[in-house]
Amino acid sequence: MLFATLSTIFLSALALTSPTPNIHPRQAYNITFTVTNFTAFMADPYIEGTQSNLSFHVVDPRPKYYTEVDCVIPPTYFSLYAITALYEYCGNHSLNFMFLFEDGEVSISRGWTDDAGNSFTASGSLNPYWNENGPSANVTVTPTGKLYTRKSAWMFPVNRLQKNG
C-alpha cells in the first residue's frame, strides 16, 4: 500500500512538471502546406543587368488556421540562395509564413498560436528534383539564366513541429 501511495505521488508530481502540448505529434504530421505557381529565375551572375526573382503561393488549409499568402523575392542582382540563407517572410509578417530556397531543398515554415496561447512552428522541406531534360523537366535554360518551375500543386507535409516558449 505504501508503494502504491508513493507511486501515485511520484506520477502526480511528474504530470505537474511535464508540459503537455495542445497538439499531438500525429496531428502535426497531418499538416500539409500547398504551394502553387512556383517560379524562380536564377540569373547568370556573369551577364550584366540580369536579375533573379522568385514567387509562389502557399496555403495552410487547416480550417482553424487557414491562411494563404504569396512569397516573393522581387527582381534582384543578388543570388536567391544568398537572400534566403535564413528564412524569408512571405507577405504580411503577421501571417508567420516563411521559406528557404536552397540548392537541392525548398522549405516552408509557419508559426501560429492556439486558443490556449501556445505557440507552435511547423515546417516541411522537400528536394525539388530540378531536372533540365525529359518529360518531367522543370528547369528551362535560357541565355541569361535558369528558370525553375512547378506546373502542378506541390504538397509540403510537415516533418518538424516545435512548441515555442
Side-chain angles (χ1 to χ4, degrees):
M1 179 151 168
L2 178 62
F3 178 73
T5 304
L6 289 175
S7 295
T8 303
I9 292 170
F10 176 74
L11 291 174
S12 298
L14 186 62
L16 292 174
T17 60
S18 299
T20 305
N22 284 353
I23 187 165
H24 189 276
R26 277 191 220 177
Q27 292 173 317
Y29 291 102
N30 289 331
I31 300 169
T32 300
F33 303 133
T34 304
V35 170
T36 56
N37 303 320
F38 184 93
T39 181
F41 180 71
M42 295 284 284
D44 183 330
Y46 301 106
I47 298 177
E48 189 174 332
T50 60
Q51 295 184 345
S52 298
N53 63 74
L54 177 143
S55 67
F56 61 90
H57 189 77
V58 62
V59 175
D60 180 345
R62 297 175 296 159
K64 190 170 187 169
Y65 301 104
Y66 183 89
T67 300
E68 58 183 290
V69 66
D70 290 321
C71 301
V72 177
I73 296 177
T76 180
Y77 291 109
F78 294 102
S79 164
L80 296 178
Y81 298 143
I83 290 172
T84 66
L86 301 172
Y87 273 97
E88 184 75 17
Y89 274 97
C90 298
N92 183 334
H93 287 221
S94 69
L95 298 175
N96 215 3
F97 253 120
M98 295 173 281
F99 72 97
L100 282 174
F101 178 68
E102 300 174 294
D103 188 20
E105 188 170 86
V106 176
S107 300
I108 307 293
S109 174
R110 167 119 199 264
W112 73 94
T113 303
D114 69 9
D115 293 338
N118 297 306
S119 174
F120 297 94
T121 301
S123 59
S125 299
L126 292 174
N127 183 328
Y129 298 103
W130 299 125
N131 183 6
E132 295 178 16
N133 303 304
S136 62
N138 54 11
V139 178
T140 304
V141 179
T142 73
T144 57
K146 292 184 177 184
L147 178 65
Y148 299 83
T149 60
R150 295 287 298 207
K151 294 179 175 120
S152 58
W154 197 3
M155 310 313 276
F156 275 75
V158 165
N159 54 20
R160 289 181 299 276
L161 175 70
Q162 174 182 328
K163 184 175 179 187
N164 307 319

